[in-house]
């Protein structure tokens, strides 16, 4: 690939445009997002539940999720990290994109009121409830190699191999697997730039609810995070409940919190037109 040299003047102009865009984005963003959702998780009206699935520790599962439906991921029995991936059900070349999710919302902190973007600039999920606010969109999941070091002498399941198996059952390949969102993973970056596990940020029994903003295939892997300090491999089961979500109001926080979210939903509307 030919390297393109840019002049100092061009770099300065591009930097100025970026800083102006960032300033507008930060000015538009709310001063503060809502407090975490209350615990314990309130019951879901049985009349709106479509399906509930228990994913055992170490295992994986996938489901089709229609626009306007939602999923609740509930730790239930204790602290568990849940790796999540997603594809547009009508075109699986469009998939979850955490780089854009972080970049356009100017934060790695995902919680109630934030959205999760695809690689086409459209909104895949709105986070409508979240008791945690401690999610990891930077590190990725466990592998056979990381587990072998962390849990020597025993055979364990890991997120990478789980998602490869999951993708294969969907007619996809490992190349189709996007970067994963680790729910309930209290990862933070310290002053040296190193990743740290801040266990005090999470609670046993945390839950999150994500509303689908397009038809999707959603995959889950229930394996310990690579930084989870527990030396014993003992992931607890989690429950994923698919249900019909209330119709969002015109001033729905996720749809209006940032200028970038507004544009993302405009892109969704164009896709649906």
């Amino acid at each position: 690939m030919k390297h393109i040299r840019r002049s100092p003047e061009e770099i300065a102009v591009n930097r100025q445009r970026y800083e102006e865009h960032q300033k507008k984005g930060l000015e538009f963003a709310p001063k503060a997002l809502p407090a975490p959702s209350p615990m314990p998780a309130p019951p879901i009206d049985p009349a709106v539940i479509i399906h509930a699935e228990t994913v055992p520790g170490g295992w994986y599962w996938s489901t089709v999720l229609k626009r306007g439906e939602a999923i609740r991921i509930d730790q239930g029995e204790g602290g568990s990290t849940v790796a999540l991936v997603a594809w547009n059900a009508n075109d699986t070349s469009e998939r979850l994109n955490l780089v854009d999710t972080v970049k356009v919302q100017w934060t790695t902190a995902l919680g109630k009121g934030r959205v999760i973007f695809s690689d086409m600039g459209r909104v895949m999920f709105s986070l409508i409830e979240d008791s945690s606010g401690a999610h990891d969109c930077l590190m990725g999941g466990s592998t056979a190699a990381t587990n072998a070091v962390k849990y020597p002498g025993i055979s364990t399941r890991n997120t990478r191999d789980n998602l490869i198996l999951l993708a294969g059952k969907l007619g996809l390949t490992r190349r189709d697997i996007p970067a994963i969102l680790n729910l309930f993973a209290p990862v933070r970056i310290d002053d040296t730039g190193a990743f740290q596990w801040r266990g005090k940020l999470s609670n046993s029994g945390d839950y999150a609810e994500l509303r689908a903003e397009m038809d999707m295939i959603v995959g889950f892997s229930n394996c310990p995070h690579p930084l989870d300090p527990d030396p014993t491999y003992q992931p607890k089961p989690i429950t994923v409940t698919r249900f019909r979500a209330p119709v969002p109001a015109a001033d729905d926080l996720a749809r209006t919190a940032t200028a970038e979210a507004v544009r993302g939903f405009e892109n969704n509307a164009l896709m649906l037109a």
Side-chain angles (χ1 to χ4, degrees):
M1 180 182 294
K2 185 178 179 181
H3 181 66
I4 300 175
R5 290 185 177 276
R6 303 190 184 279
S7 68
E9 293 77 15
E10 185 178 6
I11 292 173
V13 169
N14 288 339
R15 178 177 291 279
Q16 182 179 0
R17 289 177 57 195
Y18 170 81
E19 290 175 349
E20 289 174 352
H21 180 59
Q22 182 188 44
K23 184 173 183 293
K24 289 179 181 178
L26 292 173
E27 287 174 348
F28 190 98
K31 298 299 182 182
L33 291 178
S37 301
M39 293 181 62
I44 300 173
D45 182 354
V48 302
I49 293 176
I50 300 168
H51 179 74
E53 185 79 15
T54 297
V55 183
W59 288 85
Y60 62 92
W61 182 65
S62 67
T63 188
V64 173
L65 193 65
K66 298 292 187 180
R67 183 171 67 93
E69 297 176 353
I71 46 173
R72 174 186 287 180
I73 304 100
D74 195 331
Q75 289 186 7
E77 294 185 22
S80 298
T81 292
V82 182
L84 180 147
V85 292
W87 298 267
N88 182 332
N90 300 308
D91 179 1
T92 54
S93 67
E94 181 176 10
R95 59 202 68 169
L96 179 143
N97 188 305
L98 295 177
V99 173
D100 286 353
T101 295
V102 168
K103 179 175 63 178
V104 304
Q105 294 179 110
W106 311 105
T107 181
T108 60
L110 299 181
K112 184 176 179 179
R114 294 298 186 195
V115 297
I116 300 171
F117 284 88
S118 78
D119 54 9
M120 297 296 289
R122 294 187 273 256
V123 178
M124 301 191 86
F125 294 104
S126 294
L127 261 164
I128 56 175
E129 296 293 345
D130 177 30
S131 68
S132 171
H135 310 302
D136 167 35
C137 52
L138 299 174
M139 275 206 64
S142 60
T143 66
T146 61
N147 276 11
V149 172
K150 190 174 179 181
Y151 314 106
I154 64 171
S155 176
T156 60
R157 299 183 68 90
N158 66 82
T159 292
R160 177 177 172 78
D161 288 341
N162 275 355
L163 293 182
I164 290 172
L165 291 170
L166 183 150
K169 291 181 178 181
L170 297 172
L172 304 172
T173 71
R174 66 182 64 196
R175 284 188 170 188
D176 298 307
I177 301 171
I180 66 173
L181 171 61
N182 285 307
L183 298 170
F184 320 123
V187 175
R188 293 294 184 266
I189 301 174
D190 65 20
D191 293 339
T192 69
F195 293 108
Q196 300 290 338
W197 185 268
R198 303 287 180 85
K200 291 183 179 179
L201 299 177
S202 61
N203 301 291
S204 178
D206 272 323
Y207 67 100
E209 291 181 6
L210 294 87
R211 183 178 62 220
E213 306 296 354
M214 63 172 69
D215 293 350
M216 287 181 287
I217 303 169
V218 186
F220 308 87
S221 174
N222 182 16
C223 293
H225 190 279
L227 290 186
D228 187 332
D230 189 343
T232 304
Y233 186 88
Q234 50 182 354
K236 303 293 193 299
I238 56 104
T239 302
V240 182
T241 305
R242 178 182 169 198
F243 64 98
R244 289 183 290 277
V247 176
D251 62 348
D252 181 76
L253 176 62
R255 292 172 177 251
T256 58
T258 66
E260 290 76 16
V262 172
R263 284 194 288 272
F265 280 103
E266 289 173 349
N267 292 336
N268 282 43
L270 290 172
M271 174 183 67
L272 297 169

